[in-house]
Amino acid sequence: MKNKKVLWLLIFFLPYFQSYSQTDFANRLSEAALSLTKDRVVYDPAYFSIPYPNGDIPAGKGVCTDVIIRAYRKLGIDLQKEVHEDMKANFNIYPKNWGLKSTDRNIDHRRVPNLMTFFSRKGKEKVISTNPTDYLPGNIVAWNLGKGITHIGIVVNKKSRDNKRYLIVHNIGAGQVVEDCLFSYPIIGHYTYNK
């Protein structure tokens, strides 16, 4: 009888604990992204040879994907390793935009289409809408800037001046900044990822 009570309690409360855990992770990811805005970073899309795993380009350089990579790394998740391992096992389903015949662990995780594929496979795809309440802190958003250029950022727990939208931490050329730009470009991806 005692075991049945414990089992019932686990079944009843497990969704609550999972939800709390996901919310806690999202808040920590949001705070990690916001902390990146304190670092001076120059936009630099150059190719770098970096260590593996846990490799990073020079601290004062970066692009939009480096915001995502660095925020997750602050929470102990190495997207360089995660993306590389998934691409190595499933290379045929990742974009072929760069004409590569195999993986490149220096750059694969630093490309928006690859991150989008990874998050859609290993994370959870969320609704794409024009409703600001659909976009919560810790969510990852990808945009189409036109002419084949994509962009990515993290929704954080700071609100716009009109209090209608959460802000975004991203790097679109001015370094790692927090801005009210959720609907500035067409959204093409919306994800959560918690390993």
Side-chain angles (χ1 to χ4, degrees):
M1 185 69 168
K2 186 176 181 181
N3 287 343
K4 284 186 179 180
K5 270 189 177 176
V6 170
L7 183 60
W8 180 85
L9 286 170
L10 282 172
I11 291 169
F12 182 77
F13 285 108
L14 187 60
Y16 168 77
F17 289 124
Q18 287 175 330
S19 175
Y20 176 78
S21 174
Q22 290 166 354
T23 302
D24 179 57
F25 181 86
N27 286 332
R28 289 188 299 121
L29 183 61
S30 170
E31 290 301 321
L34 284 167
S35 75
L36 294 175
T37 64
K38 297 173 186 166
D39 301 332
R40 187 177 183 282
V41 170
V42 175
Y43 189 89
D44 188 342
Y47 180 97
F48 293 91
S49 291
I50 57 177
Y52 176 86
N54 284 313
D56 195 5
I57 67 169
K61 299 179 182 292
V63 294
C64 62
T65 51
D66 295 306
V67 171
I68 311 301
I69 294 158
R70 289 168 173 158
Y72 271 98
R73 187 160 286 150
K74 284 180 177 280
L75 301 185
I77 296 173
D78 180 12
L79 287 175
Q80 179 195 28
K81 178 178 178 286
E82 300 300 321
V83 171
H84 173 70
E85 288 180 355
D86 194 53
M87 282 189 76
K88 195 171 178 182
N90 303 283
F91 188 72
N92 61 323
I93 63 173
Y94 275 82
K96 303 295 182 280
N97 305 11
W98 306 277
L100 298 177
K101 303 289 187 224
S102 63
T103 59
D104 181 344
R105 57 194 189 191
N106 292 303
I107 191 73
D108 287 336
H109 61 299
R110 297 186 65 223
R111 292 178 162 149
V112 174
N114 287 345
L115 283 181
M116 291 174 65
T117 301
F118 176 80
F119 289 139
S120 68
R121 287 178 41 72
K122 299 294 184 174
K124 181 179 179 187
E125 285 192 84
K126 309 278 284 177
V127 65
I128 294 175
S129 76
T130 55
N131 182 352
T133 63
D134 288 332
Y135 300 88
L136 301 173
N139 287 185
I140 307 297
V141 179
W143 297 270
N144 179 357
L145 303 183
K147 298 182 181 175
I149 301 170
T150 52
H151 184 56
I152 198 164
I154 299 176
V155 181
V156 294
N157 59 5
K158 304 288 181 205
K159 287 278 191 113
S160 57
R161 286 188 181 173
D162 60 10
N163 209 36
K164 292 183 178 177
R165 296 165 300 288
Y166 284 106
L167 301 180
I168 304 292
V169 170
H170 69 137
N171 182 350
I172 199 166
Q176 298 172 155
V177 297
V178 58
E179 290 185 319
D180 180 10
C181 63
L182 177 61
F183 298 121
S184 296
Y185 318 99
I187 296 172
I188 56 172
H190 180 200
Y191 315 94
T192 58
Y193 175 68
N194 178 359
K195 184 176 175 192

